[in-house]
Amino acid sequence: MHCFTESLEVALAAIEMNFYISFSGIVTFKKALELKEVAQKIPLERMLIETDSPYLAPVPFRGKTQSAGYVKHVAEEIAKLRGISVEELGFATQPTFTSYSI
């Protein structure tokens, strides 16, 4: 679910339907407490990290034009929330697909 901003309940229901939950710069915002909880509690293997360029730049670039390079700030925030390294988060959120069909 692109640019997820809903509750943990909605995230878990989406995961039950085989969706991934994608976090943007919003998770770095001070008042995004409910979203931070979702980032802490959903399974890493169902998580994606995005930039949503050109909008929703993470702290410390909030209010500026987004850049793909800022995705590291989203990853750092989620890793901090979960008490894991950025490397562990990166490895877990790197999607692997064994087949692809349209």
Side-chain angles (χ1 to χ4, degrees):
M1 296 186 75
H2 165 67
C3 195
F4 190 82
T5 57
E6 299 294 329
S7 68
L8 180 59
E9 181 181 346
V10 172
L12 294 175
I15 290 168
E16 281 291 314
M17 294 185 287
N18 210 28
F19 282 82
Y20 285 80
I21 305 300
S22 186
F23 294 93
S24 70
I26 294 171
V27 77
T28 68
F29 298 175
K30 184 174 21 176
K31 294 184 180 181
L33 300 177
E34 188 173 35
L35 188 58
K36 290 176 186 286
E37 178 189 20
V38 175
Q40 287 175 315
K41 294 185 176 178
I42 67 164
L44 282 175
E45 64 271 9
R46 303 308 294 178
M47 181 184 293
L48 298 172
I49 302 169
E50 63 175 302
T51 59
D52 196 41
S53 212
Y55 306 109
L56 305 174
V59 171
F61 304 101
R62 187 172 180 183
K64 296 188 165 82
T65 301
Q66 176 65 284
S67 166
Y70 296 167
V71 74
K72 75 176 193 161
H73 297 281
V74 178
E76 289 169 350
E77 176 69 15
I78 294 170
K80 182 177 81 172
L81 290 168
R82 295 185 73 106
I84 61 175
S85 70
V86 174
E87 292 77 19
E88 184 179 348
L89 180 71
F91 182 78
T93 58
Q94 188 174 34
T96 58
F97 299 97
T98 56
S99 65
Y100 180 80
S101 63
I102 297 178

XYZ file of all heavy atoms in Angstrom:
800
model
N 0.855 -1.163 0.000
C 0.000 0.000 0.000
C 0.900 1.225 0.000
O 1.588 1.502 0.984
C -0.934 -0.021 1.195
C -1.907 -1.194 1.144
S -3.153 -1.158 2.445
C -4.216 0.112 1.822
N 0.884 1.926 -1.120
C 1.735 3.089 -1.363
C 1.489 4.190 -0.338
O 0.350 4.499 -0.003
C 1.438 3.603 -2.769
C 1.940 4.959 -3.073
N 3.279 5.239 -3.144
C 1.296 6.113 -3.317
C 3.421 6.516 -3.438
N 2.235 7.072 -3.543
N 2.573 4.747 0.204
C 2.523 5.903 1.098
C 1.536 5.663 2.250
O 0.678 6.476 2.532
C 2.156 7.142 0.307
S 2.478 8.655 1.166
N 1.689 4.570 2.929
C 0.755 4.140 3.969
C 0.686 5.155 5.103
O 1.709 5.629 5.594
C 1.182 2.777 4.524
C 0.159 2.156 5.408
C -0.907 1.460 4.868
C 0.242 2.282 6.783
C -1.863 0.891 5.686
C -0.704 1.716 7.607
C -1.762 1.017 7.051
N -0.551 5.473 5.523
C -0.757 6.404 6.640
C -1.878 5.949 7.565
O -2.352 6.731 8.385
C -1.089 7.828 6.134
O -2.243 7.768 5.306
C 0.073 8.443 5.378
N -2.279 4.722 7.455
C -3.403 4.229 8.248
C -2.926 3.599 9.558
O -1.755 3.614 9.885
C -4.212 3.222 7.420
C -4.804 3.803 6.156
C -5.865 4.853 6.409
O -6.578 4.755 7.436
O -5.989 5.768 5.585
N -3.862 2.969 10.262
C -3.597 2.359 11.563
C -2.955 0.979 11.439
O -2.933 0.381 10.355
C -4.917 2.213 12.331
O -5.733 1.247 11.680
N -2.499 0.467 12.573
C -1.953 -0.888 12.626
C -3.020 -1.893 12.221
O -2.735 -2.851 11.502
C -1.420 -1.191 14.030
C -0.830 -2.576 14.236
C 0.338 -2.832 13.294
C -0.403 -2.747 15.687
N -4.247 -1.680 12.640
C -5.343 -2.582 12.288
C -5.513 -2.675 10.766
O -5.643 -3.764 10.218
C -6.641 -2.100 12.931
C -7.834 -2.980 12.662
C -9.107 -2.443 13.306
O -9.045 -1.554 14.165
O -10.172 -2.953 12.930
N -5.491 -1.546 10.102
C -5.616 -1.528 8.639
C -4.402 -2.201 8.000
O -4.539 -2.979 7.048
C -5.796 -0.087 8.112
C -5.735 -0.040 6.591
C -7.116 0.498 8.602
N -3.211 -1.932 8.522
C -1.994 -2.549 7.986
C -2.059 -4.067 8.090
O -1.755 -4.777 7.124
C -0.766 -2.024 8.719
N -2.475 -4.568 9.241
C -2.536 -6.020 9.427
C -3.592 -6.654 8.526
O -3.385 -7.750 7.993
C -2.776 -6.349 10.897
C -1.632 -5.952 11.834
C -2.002 -6.205 13.289
C -0.335 -6.652 11.461
N -4.708 -5.964 8.323
C -5.744 -6.465 7.408
C -5.206 -6.503 5.981
O -5.450 -7.471 5.236
C -6.997 -5.602 7.493
N -4.463 -5.484 5.589
C -3.876 -5.443 4.245
C -2.850 -6.560 4.068
O -2.793 -7.211 3.016
C -3.233 -4.079 3.994
N -2.051 -6.796 5.093
C -1.059 -7.869 5.039
C -1.747 -9.218 4.897
O -1.284 -10.088 4.153
C -0.133 -7.804 6.280
C 0.774 -6.579 6.165
C 0.672 -9.085 6.442
C 1.525 -6.238 7.436
N -2.871 -9.387 5.579
C -3.654 -10.632 5.446
C -4.102 -10.858 4.003
O -4.283 -11.992 3.574
C -4.871 -10.600 6.366
C -4.577 -10.909 7.802
C -4.178 -12.366 8.020
O -4.853 -13.266 7.479
O -3.183 -12.589 8.728
N -4.292 -9.763 3.258
C -4.688 -9.845 1.850
C -3.479 -9.868 0.923
O -3.598 -9.658 -0.275
C -5.619 -8.679 1.493
C -6.948 -8.741 2.206
S -8.089 -7.455 1.664
C -7.358 -6.004 2.426
N -2.290 -10.094 1.503
C -1.035 -10.243 0.767
C -0.472 -8.924 0.227
O 0.284 -8.920 -0.733
C -1.157 -11.276 -0.349
C 0.161 -11.969 -0.606
O 0.987 -12.094 0.285
N 0.355 -12.403 -1.829
N -0.836 -7.796 0.832
C -0.285 -6.510 0.450
C 1.036 -6.270 1.177
O 1.292 -6.848 2.236
C -1.238 -5.364 0.836
C -2.393 -5.182 -0.094
C -3.526 -5.975 0.021
C -2.365 -4.204 -1.071
C -4.604 -5.808 -0.827
C -3.440 -4.017 -1.917
C -4.561 -4.825 -1.800
N 1.834 -5.388 0.624
C 3.008 -4.841 1.300
C 2.624 -3.465 1.827
O 1.786 -2.783 1.248
C 4.185 -4.692 0.331
C 4.849 -5.992 -0.007
C 4.297 -6.848 -0.949
C 6.033 -6.365 0.610
C 4.903 -8.048 -1.269
C 6.651 -7.570 0.303
C 6.078 -8.405 -0.640
O 6.680 -9.594 -0.943
N 3.275 -3.034 2.887
C 3.037 -1.718 3.475
C 4.268 -0.863 3.186
O 5.383 -1.234 3.553
C 2.805 -1.819 5.007
C 1.674 -2.805 5.333
C 2.562 -0.436 5.598
C 0.324 -2.465 4.740
N 4.054 0.272 2.530
C 5.159 1.118 2.106
C 5.184 2.428 2.899
O 4.168 3.109 3.009
C 5.027 1.415 0.612
O 6.157 2.116 0.158
N 6.351 2.749 3.431
C 6.527 3.943 4.257
C 7.296 5.017 3.504
O 8.321 4.744 2.887
C 7.275 3.593 5.548
C 6.494 2.680 6.439
C 6.660 1.310 6.362
C 5.572 3.193 7.335
C 5.926 0.464 7.169
C 4.831 2.353 8.147
C 5.009 0.984 8.060
N 6.808 6.239 3.603
C 7.448 7.401 2.991
C 8.044 8.277 4.096
O 8.072 7.883 5.261
C 6.411 8.192 2.194
O 5.490 8.814 3.090
N 8.442 9.479 3.741
C 9.002 10.422 4.701
C 8.085 10.761 5.851
O 8.547 11.242 6.894
N 6.797 10.514 5.706
C 5.845 10.823 6.776
C 6.230 10.139 8.084
O 6.041 10.697 9.155
C 4.410 10.443 6.361
C 3.948 11.319 5.194
C 3.441 10.579 7.532
C 2.632 10.883 4.577
N 6.800 8.945 8.006
C 7.148 8.215 9.231
C 8.215 8.949 10.049
O 8.368 8.691 11.240
C 7.560 6.757 8.914
C 8.972 6.677 8.350
C 7.405 5.854 10.122
N 8.907 9.898 9.448
C 9.918 10.666 10.190
C 9.326 11.894 10.878
O 10.025 12.533 11.670
C 11.062 11.145 9.261
O 10.562 12.122 8.347
C 11.702 9.993 8.513
N 8.068 12.209 10.603
C 7.447 13.406 11.176
C 7.156 13.194 12.659
O 6.676 12.126 13.066
C 6.163 13.770 10.448
C 6.306 14.113 8.990
C 5.180 14.363 8.235
C 7.539 14.164 8.360
C 5.280 14.685 6.884
C 7.656 14.477 7.006
C 6.511 14.745 6.277
N 7.416 14.189 13.455
C 7.289 14.108 14.910
C 5.900 13.649 15.364
O 5.782 12.855 16.292
C 7.621 15.474 15.510
C 7.637 15.528 16.997
C 8.107 16.860 17.574
C 8.012 18.036 16.634
N 8.376 19.312 17.245
N 4.863 14.136 14.718
C 3.495 13.833 15.150
C 2.901 12.576 14.522
O 1.751 12.241 14.795
C 2.589 15.019 14.865
C 2.951 16.238 15.702
C 2.002 17.371 15.476
C 2.381 18.571 16.325
N 1.456 19.684 16.137
N 3.659 11.830 13.744
C 3.162 10.622 13.079
C 3.262 9.413 13.999
O 3.775 8.358 13.630
C 3.929 10.392 11.780
N 2.756 9.546 15.208
C 2.917 8.506 16.234
C 2.250 7.192 15.856
O 2.817 6.115 16.076
C 2.395 9.016 17.576
C 3.104 10.264 18.120
C 2.457 10.729 19.420
C 4.593 10.023 18.290
N 1.039 7.253 15.310
C 0.344 6.014 14.927
C 1.097 5.297 13.808
O 1.235 4.074 13.831
C -1.094 6.330 14.504
C -1.927 5.084 14.276
C -3.392 5.401 14.034
O -3.710 6.438 13.406
O -4.226 4.596 14.470
N 1.616 6.056 12.860
C 2.378 5.468 11.761
C 3.685 4.864 12.264
O 4.110 3.801 11.802
C 2.645 6.520 10.688
C 3.260 6.019 9.393
C 2.385 4.954 8.740
C 3.501 7.177 8.450
N 4.314 5.511 13.219
C 5.538 4.976 13.816
C 5.252 3.625 14.482
O 6.058 2.699 14.401
C 6.131 5.955 14.822
C 6.714 7.206 14.170
C 7.193 8.191 15.229
C 7.636 9.500 14.630
N 8.918 9.440 13.936
N 4.078 3.503 15.118
C 3.700 2.226 15.725
C 3.564 1.139 14.663
O 4.013 0.009 14.859
C 2.384 2.367 16.493
C 1.930 1.050 17.092
C 0.531 1.095 17.686
O -0.261 1.995 17.329
O 0.234 0.190 18.491
N 2.968 1.481 13.544
C 2.829 0.516 12.448
C 4.214 0.071 11.984
O 4.466 -1.127 11.818
C 2.022 1.111 11.268
C 1.989 0.137 10.090
C 0.611 1.475 11.698
N 5.126 1.018 11.803
C 6.483 0.694 11.360
C 7.219 -0.203 12.354
O 8.052 -1.017 11.960
C 7.281 1.979 11.124
N 6.880 -0.074 13.622
C 7.505 -0.913 14.652
C 6.972 -2.337 14.648
O 7.690 -3.266 14.990
C 7.245 -0.332 16.040
C 8.018 0.910 16.346
C 7.606 1.496 17.691
O 6.420 1.594 18.001
N 8.591 1.890 18.474
N 5.704 -2.507 14.287
C 5.034 -3.775 14.572
C 4.734 -4.681 13.389
O 4.500 -5.863 13.596
C 3.735 -3.488 15.329
C 4.013 -2.901 16.704
C 2.768 -2.730 17.508
C 3.122 -2.226 18.906
N 1.943 -1.989 19.716
N 4.732 -4.163 12.172
C 4.416 -5.073 11.066
C 5.634 -5.937 10.749
O 6.771 -5.561 11.037
C 3.924 -4.331 9.806
C 5.039 -3.494 9.182
C 2.676 -3.519 10.097
C 4.730 -3.062 7.760
N 5.420 -7.089 10.139
C 6.554 -7.941 9.772
C 7.468 -7.245 8.759
O 6.991 -6.635 7.796
C 5.894 -9.169 9.141
C 4.474 -9.137 9.587
C 4.133 -7.700 9.820
N 8.762 -7.324 8.978
C 9.714 -6.702 8.065
C 9.548 -7.197 6.631
O 9.724 -6.430 5.683
C 11.151 -6.981 8.524
C 11.672 -6.148 9.677
C 13.064 -6.642 10.080
C 11.719 -4.679 9.323
N 9.209 -8.457 6.474
C 9.104 -9.021 5.131
C 7.899 -8.493 4.347
O 7.754 -8.781 3.167
C 9.097 -10.553 5.165
C 7.917 -11.155 5.869
C 8.126 -11.368 7.368
O 9.133 -10.895 7.929
O 7.258 -12.019 7.976
N 7.043 -7.701 4.988
C 5.890 -7.094 4.305
C 6.041 -5.583 4.194
O 5.090 -4.875 3.888
C 4.585 -7.434 5.038
C 4.312 -8.917 5.196
C 4.398 -9.683 3.919
N 3.343 -9.285 3.007
C 3.188 -9.767 1.786
N 4.036 -10.654 1.322
N 2.211 -9.356 1.028
N 7.245 -5.078 4.429
C 7.505 -3.639 4.464
C 8.308 -3.197 3.247
O 9.236 -3.880 2.828
C 8.285 -3.310 5.735
C 8.610 -1.843 5.905
S 9.645 -1.523 7.366
C 8.528 -1.935 8.695
N 7.944 -2.028 2.728
C 8.718 -1.360 1.683
C 9.011 0.063 2.149
O 8.285 0.610 2.968
C 7.935 -1.305 0.367
C 7.567 -2.660 -0.256
C 6.637 -2.450 -1.434
C 8.816 -3.402 -0.686
N 10.071 0.651 1.605
C 10.456 2.016 1.945
C 10.513 2.803 0.648
O 11.087 2.345 -0.333
C 11.818 2.037 2.659
C 11.756 1.173 3.921
C 12.226 3.460 3.008
C 13.092 0.913 4.545
N 9.906 3.988 0.645
C 9.818 4.772 -0.580
C 10.123 6.243 -0.321
O 10.172 6.689 0.817
C 8.419 4.633 -1.183
C 7.331 5.193 -0.280
C 5.961 5.173 -0.931
O 5.812 5.785 -2.000
O 5.062 4.556 -0.348
N 10.273 6.990 -1.417
C 10.485 8.426 -1.302
C 9.241 9.215 -1.661
O 9.063 10.324 -1.205
C 11.626 8.906 -2.213
O 11.295 8.581 -3.560
C 12.934 8.277 -1.824
N 8.373 8.717 -2.522
C 7.190 9.419 -3.018
C 7.563 10.766 -3.611
O 6.902 11.766 -3.410
C 6.120 9.583 -1.928
C 4.769 9.959 -2.531
O 4.425 9.388 -3.574
O 4.087 10.830 -1.984
N 8.622 10.784 -4.368
C 9.106 12.005 -4.993
C 8.046 12.605 -5.916
O 7.348 11.860 -6.583
C 10.351 11.654 -5.796
O 11.232 12.705 -5.829
N 7.822 13.902 -5.931
C 8.624 14.975 -5.340
C 8.110 15.457 -3.987
O 8.545 16.486 -3.494
C 8.482 16.098 -6.369
C 7.072 15.959 -6.850
C 6.839 14.442 -6.866
N 7.158 14.745 -3.379
C 6.525 15.209 -2.141
C 6.956 14.374 -0.945
O 7.572 13.334 -1.088
C 4.998 15.160 -2.276
C 4.511 15.918 -3.473
C 3.993 15.258 -4.573
C 4.602 17.300 -3.523
C 3.559 15.957 -5.694
C 4.179 18.012 -4.633
C 3.664 17.331 -5.717
O 3.246 18.024 -6.818
N 6.576 14.833 0.232
C 6.734 14.118 1.499
C 8.180 13.819 1.862
O 8.512 12.731 2.314
C 5.901 12.824 1.502
C 4.416 13.017 1.202
C 3.716 11.684 1.095
C 3.766 13.896 2.253
N 9.029 14.798 1.693
C 10.431 14.646 2.080
C 10.524 14.387 3.586
O 9.784 14.963 4.376
C 11.224 15.897 1.716
N 11.441 13.517 3.986
C 11.588 13.211 5.408
C 12.275 14.343 6.163
O 12.938 15.200 5.578
C 12.474 11.964 5.399
C 13.296 12.111 4.169
C 12.395 12.780 3.163
N 12.139 14.326 7.472
C 12.932 15.189 8.333
C 14.382 14.749 8.103
O 14.635 13.540 8.062
C 12.512 14.981 9.816
C 13.453 15.694 10.758
C 11.063 15.412 10.011
N 15.323 15.581 7.837
C 15.402 17.015 8.055
C 15.101 17.865 6.815
O 15.405 19.048 6.807
C 16.858 17.198 8.475
C 17.579 16.191 7.629
C 16.634 15.011 7.545
N 14.503 17.287 5.782
C 14.231 18.005 4.536
C 12.744 18.308 4.352
O 12.316 18.689 3.273
C 14.741 17.192 3.342
C 16.196 16.861 3.440
C 16.602 15.607 3.853
C 17.155 17.811 3.154
C 17.947 15.295 3.962
C 18.507 17.511 3.262
C 18.902 16.252 3.669
N 11.965 18.139 5.398
C 10.518 18.349 5.319
C 10.213 19.732 4.737
O 10.824 20.725 5.098
C 9.888 18.220 6.699
C 8.383 18.257 6.638
C 7.772 17.928 7.961
N 6.319 17.987 7.835
C 5.487 17.809 8.817
N 5.942 17.537 10.018
N 4.199 17.875 8.617
N 9.249 19.754 3.793
C 8.866 21.002 3.147
C 9.664 21.312 1.895
O 9.335 22.228 1.162
N 10.711 20.553 1.650
C 11.521 20.740 0.449
C 11.138 19.684 -0.586
O 10.425 18.732 -0.292
C 12.999 20.625 0.799
C 13.464 21.723 1.736
C 14.946 21.689 1.891
C 15.466 22.931 2.505
N 15.463 23.162 3.836
N 11.628 19.857 -1.800
C 11.378 18.868 -2.843
C 12.088 17.570 -2.488
O 13.268 17.572 -2.134
C 11.872 19.385 -4.208
O 11.186 20.608 -4.494
C 11.585 18.387 -5.312
N 11.363 16.483 -2.599
C 11.875 15.147 -2.275
C 12.948 14.731 -3.271
O 12.942 15.140 -4.415
C 10.700 14.165 -2.310
C 11.024 12.719 -2.105
C 11.567 12.405 -0.745
O 12.720 12.674 -0.456
N 10.761 11.814 0.093
N 13.840 13.905 -2.831
C 14.883 13.326 -3.665
C 14.985 11.841 -3.330
O 14.818 11.454 -2.172
C 16.217 14.006 -3.375
O 17.284 13.270 -3.922
N 15.246 11.026 -4.328
C 15.382 9.587 -4.092
C 16.466 9.288 -3.056
O 16.361 8.324 -2.304
C 15.683 8.863 -5.401
N 17.479 10.117 -2.993
C 18.553 9.926 -2.020
C 18.109 10.077 -0.577
O 18.802 9.645 0.341
N 16.949 10.675 -0.367
C 16.452 10.871 0.995
C 15.836 9.606 1.591
O 15.495 9.580 2.773
C 15.418 11.991 1.041
C 15.915 13.363 0.686
C 15.019 14.382 0.439
C 17.277 13.660 0.592
C 15.445 15.663 0.112
C 17.713 14.933 0.265
C 16.797 15.934 0.031
O 17.222 17.190 -0.289
N 15.691 8.571 0.800
C 15.083 7.341 1.311
C 15.875 6.790 2.500
O 15.317 6.142 3.379
C 14.902 6.294 0.188
C 16.222 5.664 -0.208
C 13.889 5.239 0.581
N 17.156 7.097 2.549
C 17.975 6.616 3.674
C 17.474 7.172 5.002
O 17.571 6.510 6.023
C 19.452 6.926 3.470
C 19.837 8.363 3.683
C 21.337 8.564 3.565
C 21.699 9.940 4.095
N 23.095 10.035 4.425
N 16.905 8.376 5.001
C 16.387 8.969 6.231
C 15.136 8.225 6.708
O 14.925 8.074 7.914
C 16.100 10.455 6.036
C 17.334 11.238 5.730
N 18.232 11.627 6.693
C 17.830 11.683 4.554
C 19.225 12.278 6.130
N 18.996 12.326 4.827
N 14.332 7.767 5.769
C 13.157 6.956 6.105
C 13.636 5.638 6.710
O 13.142 5.206 7.755
C 12.266 6.717 4.869
C 11.076 5.840 5.216
C 11.801 8.043 4.269
N 14.615 5.013 6.076
C 15.162 3.754 6.587
C 15.784 3.925 7.968
O 15.588 3.084 8.852
C 16.185 3.198 5.603
N 16.517 5.002 8.171
C 17.135 5.241 9.477
C 16.084 5.389 10.569
O 16.257 4.865 11.681
C 18.021 6.480 9.417
C 19.290 6.270 8.620
C 20.054 7.546 8.315
O 19.527 8.658 8.542
O 21.194 7.429 7.819
N 15.000 6.075 10.270
C 13.938 6.254 11.270
C 13.289 4.922 11.613
O 13.074 4.608 12.791
C 12.883 7.240 10.747
C 11.706 7.421 11.677
C 12.029 8.138 12.977
O 13.101 8.769 13.096
O 11.195 8.087 13.898
N 12.974 4.132 10.608
C 12.327 2.838 10.863
C 13.273 1.910 11.621
O 12.862 1.230 12.558
C 11.827 2.205 9.554
C 10.702 3.070 8.963
C 11.344 0.774 9.791
C 10.287 2.685 7.561
N 14.534 1.894 11.244
C 15.510 1.061 11.957
C 15.594 1.478 13.422
O 15.614 0.630 14.322
C 16.877 1.165 11.286
N 15.619 2.777 13.671
C 15.663 3.289 15.050
C 14.419 2.849 15.819
O 14.521 2.388 16.966
C 15.787 4.810 15.040
C 15.882 5.436 16.417
C 16.070 6.934 16.324
C 14.710 7.554 16.080
N 14.678 9.004 16.136
N 13.256 2.980 15.194
C 12.006 2.585 15.849
C 11.997 1.106 16.210
O 11.439 0.712 17.230
C 10.809 2.893 14.936
C 10.464 4.367 14.734
C 9.473 4.521 13.591
C 9.917 4.968 16.020
N 12.594 0.294 15.367
C 12.587 -1.157 15.570
C 13.780 -1.660 16.380
O 13.827 -2.827 16.758
C 12.525 -1.861 14.220
C 11.202 -1.568 13.491
C 11.090 -2.353 12.222
N 10.844 -3.748 12.499
C 9.677 -4.377 12.332
N 8.638 -3.709 11.882
N 9.556 -5.661 12.591
N 14.750 -0.791 16.618
C 15.932 -1.197 17.371
C 16.828 -2.143 16.599
O 17.429 -3.049 17.177
N 16.922 -1.921 15.278
C 17.775 -2.758 14.431
C 18.683 -1.843 13.616
O 18.495 -0.631 13.566
C 16.954 -3.675 13.494
C 16.076 -2.846 12.539
C 16.114 -4.657 14.309
C 15.324 -3.670 11.498
N 19.656 -2.429 12.949
C 20.554 -1.634 12.111
C 19.876 -1.300 10.782
O 18.959 -2.002 10.339
C 21.855 -2.398 11.844
O 21.606 -3.490 10.975
N 20.347 -0.235 10.160
C 19.845 0.139 8.839
C 20.158 -0.970 7.838
O 19.357 -1.259 6.950
C 20.450 1.491 8.381
C 20.061 1.822 6.958
C 20.019 2.598 9.317
N 21.302 -1.621 8.002
C 21.678 -2.716 7.111
C 20.683 -3.873 7.217
O 20.283 -4.446 6.200
C 23.100 -3.203 7.418
C 24.184 -2.189 7.086
C 24.310 -1.072 8.116
O 23.852 -1.200 9.263
O 24.885 -0.029 7.738
N 20.303 -4.218 8.430
C 19.327 -5.293 8.623
C 17.988 -4.916 7.989
O 17.358 -5.735 7.323
C 19.140 -5.585 10.112
C 18.215 -6.744 10.388
C 18.062 -7.047 11.875
O 18.830 -6.517 12.699
O 17.159 -7.835 12.204
N 17.575 -3.683 8.194
C 16.333 -3.218 7.592
C 16.420 -3.262 6.073
O 15.500 -3.736 5.405
C 16.004 -1.805 8.062
C 14.720 -1.225 7.488
C 13.502 -1.918 8.074
C 14.657 0.265 7.714
N 17.525 -2.791 5.526
C 17.699 -2.797 4.072
C 17.651 -4.193 3.493
O 17.011 -4.433 2.467
N 18.298 -5.125 4.153
C 18.283 -6.513 3.680
C 16.866 -7.080 3.719
O 16.420 -7.727 2.781
C 19.229 -7.367 4.533
C 19.291 -8.790 4.077
C 20.041 -9.140 2.963
C 18.598 -9.782 4.748
C 20.095 -10.457 2.525
C 18.633 -11.093 4.325
C 19.387 -11.440 3.210
N 16.145 -6.808 4.798
C 14.798 -7.369 4.969
C 13.779 -6.748 4.019
O 12.809 -7.404 3.637
C 14.339 -7.173 6.416
N 13.970 -5.498 3.639
C 12.974 -4.818 2.810
C 13.332 -4.836 1.334
O 12.624 -4.253 0.517
C 12.779 -3.352 3.252
O 14.026 -2.664 3.187
C 12.209 -3.281 4.653
N 14.382 -5.520 0.989
C 14.769 -5.635 -0.414
C 13.939 -6.754 -1.036
O 14.157 -7.927 -0.753
C 16.255 -5.966 -0.501
C 16.812 -5.925 -1.870
C 18.314 -6.118 -1.817
O 18.829 -6.835 -0.973
N 19.009 -5.489 -2.727
N 12.940 -6.397 -1.850
C 12.057 -7.439 -2.378
C 12.781 -8.399 -3.298
O 13.661 -8.006 -4.047
C 10.987 -6.679 -3.153
C 11.366 -5.261 -3.147
C 12.587 -5.079 -2.311
N 12.419 -9.638 -3.203
C 12.916 -10.654 -4.121
C 11.728 -11.332 -4.754
O 10.774 -11.706 -4.071
C 13.792 -11.702 -3.389
O 13.015 -12.299 -2.362
C 15.023 -11.068 -2.786
N 11.773 -11.452 -6.042
C 10.674 -12.061 -6.770
C 11.210 -13.251 -7.548
O 12.182 -13.130 -8.274
C 10.033 -11.047 -7.739
C 9.468 -9.851 -7.033
C 10.175 -8.677 -6.923
C 8.208 -9.927 -6.456
C 9.656 -7.568 -6.273
C 7.682 -8.820 -5.801
C 8.397 -7.655 -5.711
N 10.554 -14.373 -7.383
C 10.988 -15.563 -8.096
C 10.323 -15.665 -9.453
O 10.809 -16.342 -10.336
C 10.690 -16.840 -7.285
O 9.302 -16.859 -6.983
C 11.497 -16.848 -5.999
N 9.199 -14.991 -9.618
C 8.547 -14.969 -10.936
C 7.777 -13.679 -11.074
O 7.382 -13.057 -10.096
C 7.609 -16.169 -11.079
O 6.556 -16.076 -10.151
N 7.563 -13.287 -12.300
C 6.848 -12.045 -12.572
C 5.966 -12.282 -13.782
O 6.408 -12.798 -14.788
C 7.845 -10.925 -12.859
C 7.195 -9.596 -13.145
C 6.735 -8.807 -12.101
C 7.017 -9.166 -14.446
C 6.122 -7.586 -12.372
C 6.402 -7.959 -14.718
C 5.958 -7.173 -13.680
O 5.353 -5.988 -13.942
N 4.714 -11.930 -13.642
C 3.813 -12.054 -14.782
C 2.822 -10.918 -14.772
O 2.489 -10.372 -13.735
C 3.084 -13.393 -14.738
O 2.284 -13.473 -13.591
N 2.374 -10.552 -15.940
C 1.387 -9.466 -16.071
C 0.050 -10.072 -16.422
O -0.077 -10.969 -17.176
C 1.836 -8.461 -17.160
C 3.140 -7.819 -16.740
C 0.756 -7.433 -17.408
C 3.725 -6.851 -17.730
